[in-house]
Amino acid sequence: RYHYILSIVKITAVHLFFLIFQNTVRPDCSQPLSSAAKGSKIKRKRRKQRTVLFLEYPPCSTCKKARKWLEAHQISFTARHIKEDNPTEEELKEWHKKSGLPLKRFFNTSGLVYKNLSLKDKLPQMAEEEQYQLLATDGMLVKRPLVIGTDFVLVGFKEKEWEDRLM
């Protein structure tokens, strides 16, 4: 009987070793790790947020950098392609309010669509409602990446700002 119990304990220990040290499960929340976070030696602090919405344009180098940062810091996120599933007017209004930023910060001022529409000259004369409507027409007009939490919004990738808010 003693040998039977000992073999069960060994099997359980081997199974836990496989799950934890082979990086298939995070030891603190039993969720799969992303491929970038596997093997990471970063010590994880308690985060203020569980899962965030991450709006990105995958070919964008800044979005790639931001995604790698989230994965390396084991931040749980739901990704959304900003061009294929652009934000709605209602979402933009809610995010703008949560962010506390000027609405102009939500515009991708270095993007081709912004420049082609000559928005630099037009935005100051536009009403806020018109700006929301315009942003909702094309995801490429929206500054990226965006991170949306329950009580905050991060616009663009500023590592220090992300660390302060997400860690």
Side-chain angles (χ1 to χ4, degrees):
R1 187 172 186 201
Y2 173 75
H3 293 292
Y4 175 73
I5 293 171
L6 188 58
S7 66
I8 290 174
V9 170
K10 284 181 183 177
I11 290 170
T12 304
V14 168
H15 182 70
L16 281 173
F17 176 82
F18 176 76
L19 290 174
I20 294 170
F21 294 102
Q22 296 300 316
N23 291 321
T24 57
V25 173
R26 287 194 281 191
D28 63 335
C29 58
S30 302
Q31 292 179 3
L33 280 174
S34 63
S35 58
K38 288 182 181 177
S40 174
K41 296 188 178 180
I42 295 172
K43 296 253 186 222
R44 204 164 93 155
K45 300 175 187 175
R46 282 269 172 226
R47 289 192 311 272
K48 301 171 186 172
Q49 201 58 31
R50 280 242 177 239
T51 300
V52 294
L53 176 61
F54 176 61
L55 281 91
E56 65 174 334
Y57 180 59
C60 166
S61 61
T62 305
C63 294
K64 288 177 185 178
K65 218 184 293 184
R67 177 184 271 270
K68 283 183 182 177
W69 188 93
L70 289 170
E71 290 170 343
H73 290 83
Q74 299 178 7
I75 307 292
S76 179
F77 65 90
T78 302
R80 179 168 150 188
H81 193 298
I82 202 164
K83 186 175 181 184
E84 293 174 359
D85 187 9
N86 57 298
T88 64
E89 193 176 332
E90 292 75 28
E91 287 175 321
L92 289 162
K93 287 177 182 177
E94 178 188 339
W95 299 342
H96 175 231
K97 184 179 175 183
K98 272 191 212 180
S99 75
L101 298 170
L103 186 54
K104 183 174 173 24
R105 287 278 312 275
F106 280 80
F107 280 89
N108 179 12
T109 56
S110 60
L112 291 176
V113 178
Y114 183 89
K115 290 175 182 176
N116 289 341
L117 294 174
S118 304
L119 291 177
K120 181 180 180 183
D121 302 325
K122 295 177 184 175
L123 275 183
Q125 285 80 33
M126 291 176 74
E128 200 169 79
E129 195 62 35
E130 291 175 294
Q131 292 180 37
Y132 286 126
Q133 290 169 357
L134 182 61
L135 280 169
T137 63
D138 190 340
M140 297 305 282
L141 278 172
V142 181
K143 177 80 173 170
R144 56 187 186 261
L146 284 170
V147 171
I148 315 299
T150 54
D151 61 345
F152 69 91
V153 173
L154 299 172
V155 180
F157 180 56
K158 294 183 177 134
E159 196 169 333
K160 176 73 173 121
E161 186 180 324
W162 282 36
E163 192 173 297
D164 291 345
R165 185 50 99 163
L166 295 169
M167 300 297 286

